[in-house]
Amino acid sequence: QLGSAGKEGGPLSQDATGVALPADVAEMVRKGEVGSLIGACGVTNFNAFQRIAMNEARVKIPLMVGHDMIHGVMTQAPIPLALACAWDEKTWQDCGRLIAVESPAKGCNWTFTPMVDMCRDPRWGRIAEGPGQDPYLGARMGAAMVKGIQSKAGVMPVASCLKHFAAYGGAEAGRDYNTVEMSESTFRNVYLPPFKAGVEAGALTVMPAFNTLNGAPCSVTKWLLTDILRDHLAFKGFTISDWCGVSECELDHHGMAETHAGLVDLAMDAGMDQDMMAGLYRKELVQLVKDGKVPMAQVDRSVRNILRVKNALGLWENPYIDEAKLASQI
């Protein structure tokens, strides 16, 4: 996944309709080197990038464009911590539905929402983005938000993303990105239920967390991303790292691998389908497959997971945002 803004002050490239796009991003889309973009890019740019993907790339696979829409897009709801206090599933689902209606107006069809991290330490800086400390309440709120976001209420279906898998809110001393140490009982009974409910509600994507869980980085841990998420929770969508989440597992951070190629090998084996922003898959994966270190079956698995989500969104039938319908609906 690549940022949609391109390099600051970089050259522009015009598509067939004269829309000016960041040349570096447009070229990567044209070469089929990215499957999604991050950052609200506007309706005109969304459609222009999509035309390149659908008409000029070797493989005609439509793009997804994701962005954080934590508690609304144009219509702002209370922060999730306050929304949880409403104890009202209809309100939560309506908030998700508004995100579904308004996200296309920003040039997005994917939102990195809801955040269902449990947190029992108010010092944690991201506590405002989640439903608080109670796993039952968090599970009900997260599931309702997923249903609202994926209600297909807008001019283009929008995918939700459960984050951050898992136990991100259990950071020691409430310090963001800090290590997390907990018993398996606490993990399964407090931190896992909201994700289970979100998966059962149909969440199409999941974002693994930055943190380590009992010494293992969530981004490259097979027990978490395959044994728990895929096998235990029966998740069928695709996983995407947090911002440079795979590259931050390098030796001087978590000691998992000495090279970027080694990290890609670990991440693919663990079940990380998409690499956000770091570009490690784009740079390293081809050679790893050629060298026989990453089996083609792993690549096929991740590609299949991503294509399944894009198909569920109906992107081949409806790849563009209808600006006339959008204006009427907004």
Side-chain angles (χ1 to χ4, degrees):
Q1 189 185 49
L2 185 72
S4 61
K7 297 175 182 176
E8 191 69 29
L12 298 178
S13 171
Q14 289 195 338
D15 80 337
T17 60
V19 177
L21 298 170
D24 55 330
V25 183
E27 187 58 23
M28 287 183 186
V29 172
R30 191 170 285 112
K31 290 180 179 179
E33 293 179 343
V34 293
S36 66
L37 300 173
I38 182 172
C41 65
V43 177
T44 301
N45 280 0
F46 178 97
N47 286 338
F49 281 127
Q50 199 75 291
R51 280 192 294 270
I52 293 173
M54 297 299 289
N55 299 321
E56 300 180 35
R58 179 181 62 85
V59 182
K60 308 301 189 284
I61 298 175
L63 297 170
M64 292 171 63
V65 178
H67 199 61
D68 285 317
M69 310 291 193
I70 301 300
H71 56 105
V73 183
M74 300 160 75
T75 304
Q76 293 291 303
I79 62 172
L81 189 61
L83 274 174
C85 299
W87 291 85
D88 183 24
E89 288 180 77
K90 183 179 184 302
T91 296
W92 302 331
Q93 190 162 334
D94 285 348
C95 181
R97 181 183 175 280
L98 277 172
I99 291 173
V101 169
E102 296 181 350
S103 288
K106 296 293 185 180
C108 296
N109 61 345
W110 184 18
T111 174
F112 305 127
T113 309
M115 189 183 99
V116 291
D117 296 309
M118 293 289 95
C119 180
R120 296 182 167 181
D121 188 335
R123 294 175 295 180
W124 189 48
R126 298 190 71 170
I127 193 171
E129 296 179 46
Q133 66 177 352
D134 185 82
Y136 178 76
L137 178 62
R140 296 292 287 268
M141 179 171 163
M145 290 283 286
V146 167
K147 291 175 183 176
I149 291 167
Q150 295 184 181
S151 62
K152 299 184 178 179
V155 299
M156 170 171 279
V158 174
S160 69
C161 183
L162 297 172
K163 65 182 187 183
H164 305 82
F165 194 71
Y168 186 45
E172 291 182 356
R175 294 174 62 189
D176 202 16
Y177 303 173
N178 207 358
T179 56
V180 175
E181 303 284 340
M182 64 177 58
S183 69
E184 188 164 351
S185 174
T186 299
F187 172 73
R188 288 183 180 270
N189 288 299
V190 177
Y191 292 87
L192 201 57
F195 288 97
K196 180 177 186 293
V199 168
E200 290 174 350
L204 291 171
T205 65
V206 168
M207 181 183 292
F210 273 122
N211 56 279
T212 59
L213 177 59
N214 296 329
C218 295
S219 296
V220 294
T221 300
K222 190 171 185 177
W223 172 80
L224 187 65
L225 302 190
T226 297
D227 296 352
I228 298 296
L229 183 60
R230 297 283 179 188
D231 298 340
H232 178 57
L233 299 186
F235 175 63
K236 302 297 183 185
F238 74 81
T239 53
I240 178 169
S241 78
D242 208 332
W243 189 284
C244 295
V246 174
S247 64
E248 290 195 2
C249 294
E250 61 190 290
L251 185 63
D252 60 338
H253 283 73
H254 300 310
M256 293 303 295
E258 295 187 15
T259 65
H260 283 162
L263 285 176
V264 172
D265 186 4
L266 284 172
M268 286 295 296
D269 184 59
M272 182 72 82
D273 296 316
Q274 197 169 111
D275 168 34
M276 182 192 285
M277 290 308 297
L280 296 192
Y281 283 15
R282 180 169 52 85
K283 296 170 185 174
E284 306 288 349
L285 196 51
V286 171
Q287 193 60 48
L288 284 168
V289 172
K290 288 180 178 179
D291 293 343
K293 295 180 180 178
V294 172
M296 183 56 75
Q298 288 184 0
V299 178
D300 290 342
R301 174 208 63 203
S302 291
V303 169
R304 189 175 296 111
N305 291 338
I306 294 168
L307 293 181
R308 187 183 297 117
V309 170
K310 292 184 176 183
N311 187 56
L313 293 174
L315 281 174
W316 276 274
E317 296 81 10
N318 181 29
Y320 307 110
I321 298 171
D322 187 320
E323 295 190 55
K325 287 184 179 178
L326 180 66
S328 173
Q329 187 171 48
I330 295 296

